[in-house]
């Protein structure tokens, strides 16, 4: 089982955005920061979640249970309800549904910001690279 923590940071809304991904398993602890391009803060949260899942597939870590943690209520609620109310989020949700099929069990859980500091710091590092 792997625990994945994701968060995004945006300068302006919309604006340049960065994402942080923390992968924690029995024998691994990996920290990654990624640039997410120009987007709104909610789009950035979706983008980093998608990138985290794509990264797991690329690393062939998608053969086990994944618990993905995000402090974005909009992202987690969209996934839980299996519906994107905002049309802007629909492509991200459809992308998530496609990637989700590549995992035997993928759980997406909301956590408070205070429990997501590692991913938050990485997202801010990625954002600083724009400057």
């Amino acid at each position: 089982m792997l625990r994945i923590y994701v968060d995004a940071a945006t300068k302006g809304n919309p604006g340049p955005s960065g994402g942080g991904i923390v992968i924690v398993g029995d024998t691994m602890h990996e920290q990654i920061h990624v640039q997410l391009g120009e987007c709104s803060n909610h789009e950035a949260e979706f983008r980093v979640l998608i990138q985290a899942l794509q990264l797991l597939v690329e690393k062939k870590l998608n053969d086990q249970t994944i618990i993905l943690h995000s402090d974005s209520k909009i992202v987690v609620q969209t996934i839980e309800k299996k519906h994107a109310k905002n049309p802007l989020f629909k492509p991200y949700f459809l992308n998530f549904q496609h990637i989700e099929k590549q995992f035997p069990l993928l759980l997406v859980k909301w956590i408070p910001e205070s429990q997501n500091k590692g991913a938050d710091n990485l997202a801010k590092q990625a954002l600083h690279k724009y400057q």
Side-chain angles (χ1 to χ4, degrees):
M1 179 181 79
L2 290 177
R3 289 188 180 273
I4 314 302
Y5 297 84
V6 297
D7 199 12
T10 302
K11 184 172 185 169
N13 194 18
S17 302
I21 303 166
V22 178
I23 303 170
V24 180
D26 288 339
T27 59
M28 72 180 305
H29 185 95
E30 195 168 336
Q31 299 181 24
I32 302 147
H33 54 82
V34 293
Q35 292 183 337
L36 300 172
E38 295 267 331
C39 58
S40 73
N41 58 336
H42 295 307
E43 286 178 286
E45 296 284 358
F46 277 103
R47 287 183 183 186
V48 71
L49 181 139
I50 300 288
Q51 283 202 11
L53 295 176
Q54 289 172 333
L55 182 67
L56 293 175
V57 171
E58 289 168 16
K59 291 178 170 274
K60 299 189 184 333
L61 296 172
N62 59 317
D63 61 346
Q64 57 193 305
T65 299
I66 305 295
I67 302 175
L68 191 144
H69 301 279
S70 172
D71 59 20
S72 171
K73 287 185 179 180
I74 288 179
V75 170
V76 173
Q77 288 173 353
T78 298
I79 291 168
E80 287 175 347
K81 293 178 180 178
K82 299 185 186 322
H83 174 71
K85 191 159 73 169
N86 185 329
L88 189 62
F89 303 152
K90 190 167 187 169
Y92 298 109
F93 177 64
L94 294 174
N95 198 351
F96 168 81
Q97 285 185 308
H98 175 73
I99 295 170
E100 179 184 31
K101 295 174 186 173
Q102 299 178 58
F103 295 84
L105 182 59
L106 172 60
L107 304 170
V108 178
K109 299 287 184 189
W110 179 82
I111 57 172
E113 287 180 29
S114 62
Q115 294 177 22
N116 206 20
K117 294 292 184 195
D120 179 60
N121 287 334
L122 290 165
K124 289 175 180 168
Q125 285 178 29
L127 187 59
H128 287 309
K129 290 195 174 203
Y130 279 104
Q131 300 170 356

